[in-house]
Amino acid sequence: MPDPFWRNGMIGKREVIVFFAALSFCFIKAYAAENLSDLREPYNDRYCTTCHGSDGRGNYGIKAPRLAGMEPWYLKRQLENFRAGIRGTHSSDREGIAMQSMAVKLSDSSITDIISWVGSWDYVATEITIEGNESLGQQLYIQCASCHGANGEGNEALGAPALRGQNDWYLATQLRNFIEGWRGSHPQDSLGQQMILMAQSLQNDDGIKNVVSYINTLSRK
Amino acid sequence: MSRLVTRRELINLLGATGGTAAVLQAGSVLGLLPATASAAALDLLALGSTNKKVAILGGGISGLTVAYELNKRGYDCTVLEASHRCGGRIFTVRHGDLIDEIGNRQYCEFDDDPHMYFNAGAARIPTSHRSLLAYCKELGVELEVFIGENNNAFLQDDALASGKPLRVNDYKTNMRGFLSEMLAKSMSEQQMDEPFTETEAENLLSVIRSFGDLSEGDLYQGSSRNGYASGGYLTHGVQKDMLAFRDLLQSSMGRIALSAYEGDYGPCLLQPVGGMDKIIAGFLSKIGGQVKYRAIVAGIQVRNDGVEIAYDQGGARHKLQADYCFNCIPTHLAVGLDHNFPIDYIKAMKYVRRGEAYKAAFQAKERFWEKEGIYGGITRMNNSSREIWYPPHGIHKDKGVVLAAYDFGGGSYFTKMVQQERVETHLQDGEKIHSNYRDMVEKPITIAWHRMNHMLGCAARWRQSFSGWTHEEEQMYNILQAPAGGRHYVIGDQMSMNSAWMESAILSAHWAMQDLDVRVRSEIAK
Ligand SMILES: Cc1cc2nc3c(=O)[nH]c(=O)nc-3n(C[C@H](O)[C@H](O)[C@H](O)COP(=O)(O)OP(=O)(O)OC[C@H]3O[C@@H](n4cnc5c(N)ncnc54)[C@H](O)[C@@H]3O)c2cc1C
């Protein structure tokens, strides 16, 4: 090793084996670039918990929502939308932009891997951070229920994700983003466009607060 | 007429004109107030036969400081580091290294040569950072001079000289000349009304004249300080033309040219020979065996009798029981862990915002800047790439690594871009300085700290306002500094009032260990 600090002297056993395998390989074949890359620090795309918290519990510090318990079909659609720039490209969608640039290079197989990884996390109850008028929120929720279910359980056939159990601060941000057209205005985001229309009935921050605080009461099974 | 000014009076005078900071600085010069804290030796109890386990979360320099110091005193320390490397924001990038930016992973393709490295995080050591320097000495980290201020580097602003880069020297000499001329004129008219004695006024005038190299009649008529237009060795030097004051005022670059190297920014700065991470290597040479890599902390439970840590490593969840815990995981990541911290502690963690920083570098095929008489130093541009740093090391070798951009915040401009866009912007910006830039550079790397795995930011921001800390902010700071349950310490530059310095991270660790020491001593005394 040229330098004791080269990768912290942290060459793992696996890498050493690869290295010697590569060396002996050299006798047969010229040293190819792929052997070099075997020596490099390995990686995969399992980055989610850095932002989304332990076991995907959601992290307010990054404003990254809960992934644990998220429906695989919904997660898939969102990852694909981010990757394609259908979501997270409006200049006012700060959190969306952050996610979009991280998702842009995901391969289909990485997305599949992420979905199965996320599926292995247990759901634990979210903390409540938003308190509004629940009964006013209940009135407002009637409209939401037609797609997202009376108990906020979601409806795959309609493409509507579960709402209950999601971080309330995240729901509030997304509702605001829909109202303002910061999310959902992409021409290829037909479900998002639907949400933009629906969200208008909340009118303002109070409406958002009230409906989110009602959703907070819909306990998760 | 001349009258002795007492020290106290001088301080009042400075206080009236320069605010508290001036008073404090002058105070320490005169020896009234204590000078900057020197690297006081830590007075920590060695444990002897007592056994105490310490979990250190994150292998940042603060975490490693704790591991090193407590290990010396007989504590049983384990460092859990999420990444494949220690050092966090002390990150030197060399041939083959992984830059673990989420969504933009890169491997560095620089030539494999000791001087071909890039300090993608911390890069400068001010000589006032005594604790850090003390560790460099203790750990045998060889230091060399880092050159930031270089009058031969450039200033570039599209609003200035039709965008043509000016040598810092040309700008500075002219600007200082004009400023001095103005000052000198106002002095001679008003000096009788000023609160100076005759001697003081004379001395002040002489300072002003020499500051701007004024000629007779207190006029600025050009200077040889920025070199000659021609000659100067075998023939007489021919003075350069003066720049027009009005032209200089088309740009705000003067703010930077005249003040960028004050305080902690130099001019005398140091760097470890071979890369900033030699400091990390120094710590690891003592306690490297206690570090677990790719060990991602997932949970922290503070109990009455200890702290229980959960971490993921090798696809499995592990537990670590410790008596005490020191945590340098950035607060914006720590709040997302499975913890049982007190409410007001969490509130403080959530309050701290994450700062931004972005750097980029190229390998230069030739050290083209040296052909322009530039040896180290910083070119400053009024564009998004902002700065070009010429390496002070590897002088006259074939190649070098040049910093192509350093953006320290505001809007994540480059962070949002894909790699090609970032690189193209730096090429365009650099071409305004060096016309051959595009041909001379290759193998770009970019480091957007806001997207770096296990970091997602730089330099905790406690203050919401430039005017200072509010009372509430100070309260939250104090809450987070005190150990949760007497056992869990938040450390790192985030637990200082001067974030984004290695020194701050070290001092936060010292504060926490001293607090621990008091607790341990009283426990043992029982
Ligand atoms: C661009 C830039 C320029 C800078 N320039 C300078 C300079 O010139 N001079 C100077 O003195 N300072 C400079 N700094 C600041 C300096 O680098 C930092 O203040 C210092 O390194 C912070 O150390 P820390 O101990 O707080 O830990 P950090 O470096 O923040 O390290 C935190 C560690 O925690 C680990 N971690 C995160 N999550 C987990 C988890 N779940 N489990 C386990 N581990 C985890 C991370 O991988 C990391 O190793 C600069 C920083 C940047 C980014």
Side-chain angles (χ1 to χ4, degrees):
Chain A
M1 253 186 283
D3 177 336
F5 189 58
W6 192 65
R7 285 208 242 154
N8 287 332
M10 271 304 292
I11 300 190
K13 267 193 206 137
R14 194 193 73 85
E15 289 162 281
V16 174
I17 292 167
V18 173
F19 182 65
F20 284 113
L23 267 189
S24 51
F25 197 57
C26 288
F27 292 111
I28 316 164
K29 196 183 153 190
Y31 198 78
E34 61 203 67
N35 296 337
L36 235 187
S37 64
D38 281 343
L39 272 174
R40 296 183 160 181
E41 195 63 46
Y43 62 81
N44 58 37
D45 278 330
R46 293 190 169 195
Y47 283 113
C48 314
T49 50
T50 295
C51 297
H52 292 270
S54 304
D55 298 337
R57 64 182 46 231
N59 180 2
Y60 178 88
I62 304 292
K63 309 288 183 309
R66 168 167 302 249
L67 301 178
M70 194 176 264
E71 304 89 327
W73 53 266
Y74 179 70
L75 185 55
K76 180 165 187 285
R77 191 174 79 217
Q78 296 311 311
L79 284 173
E80 289 172 353
N81 282 355
F82 278 122
R83 181 174 66 179
I86 293 170
R87 182 175 172 192
T89 43
H90 191 288
S91 59
S92 295
D93 180 7
R94 284 186 49 157
E95 294 80 12
I97 288 174
M99 181 63 206
Q100 204 271 330
S101 52
M102 293 183 182
V104 80
K105 282 192 188 165
L106 288 178
S107 64
D108 286 346
S109 63
S110 280
I111 290 182
T112 309
D113 177 58
I114 286 169
I115 291 167
S116 77
W117 185 39
V118 171
S120 70
W121 295 328
D122 290 334
Y123 175 86
V124 282
T126 43
E127 50 168 357
I128 288 176
T129 68
I130 292 178
E131 277 163 34
N133 184 324
E134 286 165 19
S135 53
L136 287 178
Q138 186 170 17
Q139 296 300 312
L140 290 166
Y141 189 77
I142 292 172
Q143 188 193 10
C144 316
S146 52
C147 294
H148 292 275
N151 297 309
E153 70 276 23
N155 184 334
E156 181 176 359
L158 297 174
L163 301 177
R164 65 182 182 193
Q166 185 50 281
N167 298 107
D168 51 13
W169 42 264
Y170 171 75
L171 292 177
T173 309
Q174 296 311 305
L175 285 169
R176 191 212 48 209
N177 288 353
F178 281 124
I179 290 175
E180 304 285 350
W182 299 342
R183 177 178 172 188
S185 21
H186 192 282
Q188 278 164 267
D189 191 359
S190 52
L191 290 164
Q193 286 164 20
Q194 222 169 300
M195 266 309 294
I196 291 181
L197 288 176
M198 297 301 202
Q200 301 308 321
S201 64
L202 299 174
Q203 287 179 353
N204 54 29
D205 285 352
D206 280 342
I208 293 177
K209 229 165 114 180
N210 293 339
V211 78
V212 168
S213 59
Y214 176 70
I215 296 171
N216 274 339
T217 67
L218 303 172
S219 66
R220 212 177 163 91
K221 51 179 180 311
Chain B
M1 203 182 143
S2 188
R3 184 178 67 89
L4 275 182
V5 182
T6 65
R7 291 204 289 179
R8 183 60 58 195
E9 275 174 313
L10 180 57
I11 285 194
N12 288 340
L13 180 65
L14 286 169
T17 53
T20 352
V23 172
L24 287 176
Q25 273 164 19
S28 75
V29 169
L30 296 172
L32 289 178
L33 302 165
T36 343
S38 56
L42 275 175
D43 177 23
L44 303 177
L45 182 75
L47 285 185
S49 59
T50 319
N51 181 29
K52 294 264 177 234
K53 280 196 154 180
V54 173
I56 296 161
L57 315 185
I61 193 170
S62 60
L64 297 181
T65 302
V66 171
Y68 174 64
E69 295 291 355
L70 293 187
N71 186 58
K72 275 201 242 174
R73 272 87 177 181
Y75 287 79
D76 175 4
C77 302
T78 306
V79 181
L80 300 174
E81 168 52 55
S83 172
H84 59 284
R85 59 174 189 92
C86 272
R89 279 172 281 154
I90 297 171
F91 180 28
T92 303
V93 185
R94 302 183 181 82
H95 172 81
D97 284 346
L98 166 66
I99 298 166
D100 201 10
E101 178 184 337
I102 304 180
N104 186 33
R105 236 173 348 238
Q106 304 155 58
Y107 285 106
C108 175
E109 306 291 347
F110 296 164
D111 289 1
D112 193 0
D113 239 326
H115 73 288
M116 297 298 284
Y117 67 82
F118 180 61
N119 288 327
R124 306 177 263 209
I125 305 178
T127 49
S128 54
H129 289 189
R130 308 275 282 272
S131 311
L132 175 62
L133 287 167
Y135 280 121
C136 288
K137 190 166 179 185
E138 192 169 326
L139 298 167
V141 178
E142 201 185 327
L143 298 174
E144 63 190 1
V145 168
F146 173 92
I147 301 166
E149 180 166 30
N150 182 346
N151 284 336
N152 251 7
F154 292 99
L155 286 182
Q156 195 274 336
D157 184 342
D158 289 348
L160 182 68
S162 322
K164 199 173 108 323
L166 293 182
R167 297 276 183 173
V168 173
N169 227 351
D170 291 334
Y171 184 94
K172 230 173 166 173
T173 306
N174 282 279
M175 185 53 109
R176 280 171 61 157
F178 294 126
L179 288 179
S180 293
E181 189 179 311
M182 282 169 60
L183 269 174
K185 278 180 185 154
S186 63
M187 261 300 286
S188 38
E189 283 160 20
Q190 288 174 20
Q191 71 191 61
M192 301 319 287
D193 309 328
E194 298 291 344
F196 304 118
T197 65
E198 220 165 300
T199 319
E200 284 168 350
E202 262 165 37
N203 289 344
L204 184 54
L205 249 176
S206 96
V207 170
I208 292 171
R209 285 173 181 143
S210 98
F211 179 77
D213 200 13
L214 299 187
S215 34
E216 253 171 71
D218 288 338
L219 291 176
Y220 175 65
Q221 294 182 313
S223 162
S224 60
R225 284 183 183 172
N226 52 336
Y228 291 116
S230 64
Y233 294 99
L234 303 180
T235 56
H236 291 294
V238 177
Q239 193 183 289
K240 284 186 183 175
D241 286 339
M242 284 162 59
L243 302 174
F245 195 23
R246 264 252 142 68
D247 288 350
L248 298 186
L249 296 180
Q250 300 313 303
S251 162
S252 60
M253 293 302 277
R255 183 174 49 94
I256 295 168
L258 297 180
S259 65
Y261 304 99
E262 306 296 323
D264 278 343
Y265 294 93
C268 183
L269 296 162
L270 301 168
Q271 67 175 11
V273 175
M276 193 58 81
D277 65 0
K278 297 291 179 188
I279 299 175
I280 301 302
F283 280 111
L284 293 175
S285 70
K286 306 289 183 192
I287 45 99
Q290 276 132 273
V291 182
K292 292 186 193 295
Y293 290 89
R294 289 181 180 270
I296 305 175
V297 172
I300 305 167
Q301 300 294 318
V302 185
R303 315 235 186 265
N304 288 334
D305 58 345
V307 186
E308 187 178 294
I309 309 297
Y311 66 96
D312 294 334
Q313 193 187 35
R317 179 142 302 172
H318 307 265
K319 287 250 181 303
L320 177 70
Q321 301 285 348
D323 297 296
Y324 298 98
C325 174
F326 292 79
N327 182 357
C328 75
I329 297 173
T331 51
H332 53 265
L333 301 182
V335 279
L337 305 180
D338 179 19
H339 56 70
N340 66 344
F341 297 142
I343 302 261
D344 49 358
Y345 205 72
I346 302 172
K347 188 177 152 214
M349 278 191 164
K350 283 182 173 174
Y351 183 81
V352 185
R353 288 158 314 137
R354 50 188 177 129
E356 289 169 30
Y358 170 91
K359 277 187 180 180
F362 289 115
Q363 167 164 308
K365 297 176 208 167
E366 277 174 40
R367 297 174 74 93
F368 56 88
W369 53 92
E370 290 177 357
K371 293 183 180 152
E372 298 182 53
I374 300 172
Y375 287 80
I378 301 178
T379 277
R380 301 186 180 261
M381 307 171 286
N382 200 7
N383 59 35
S384 44
S385 302
R386 293 199 200 194
E387 298 184 356
I388 295 177
W389 292 19
Y390 312 98
H393 50 273
I395 285 175
H396 285 174
K397 290 193 185 298
D398 288 341
K399 300 183 184 180
V401 173
V402 67
L403 175 141
Y406 188 3
D407 182 7
F408 15 87
S412 298
Y413 183 74
F414 291 111
T415 304
K416 295 174 196 160
M417 291 182 181
V418 299
Q419 183 76 354
Q420 295 94 306
E421 282 178 279
R422 293 176 181 176
V423 172
E424 181 52 34
T425 310
H426 306 325
L427 288 173
Q428 283 177 17
D429 290 344
E431 268 175 330
K432 291 186 175 173
I433 309 293
H434 305 283
S435 54
N436 56 349
Y437 196 64
R438 191 178 287 268
D439 297 330
M440 283 290 138
V441 299
E442 59 182 354
K443 303 182 176 175
I445 56 168
T446 68
I447 296 92
W449 285 99
H450 234 55
R451 280 171 60 180
M452 289 295 283
N453 199 14
H454 305 304
M455 193 56 64
L456 296 179
C458 172
R461 299 209 174 136
W462 277 94
R463 283 185 310 165
Q464 302 263 358
S465 149
F466 279 117
S467 57
W469 290 60
T470 63
H471 177 63
E472 289 72 30
E473 284 166 343
E474 292 222 18
Q475 267 183 332
M476 282 190 276
Y477 177 85
N478 291 334
I479 285 169
L480 202 55
Q481 190 182 42
R487 298 191 177 270
H488 174 273
Y489 292 89
V490 177
I491 55 170
D493 68 321
Q494 59 192 353
M495 233 32 264
S496 79
M497 292 189 161
N498 190 9
S499 67
W501 289 110
M502 296 177 279
E503 179 79 358
S504 313
I506 290 171
L507 290 177
S508 79
H510 286 184
W511 188 95
M513 284 187 285
Q514 262 147 358
D515 187 88
L516 168 84
D517 192 60
V518 173
R519 289 165 198 271
V520 169
R521 280 179 204 256
S522 79
E523 202 180 297
I524 288 176
K526 270 179 207 164

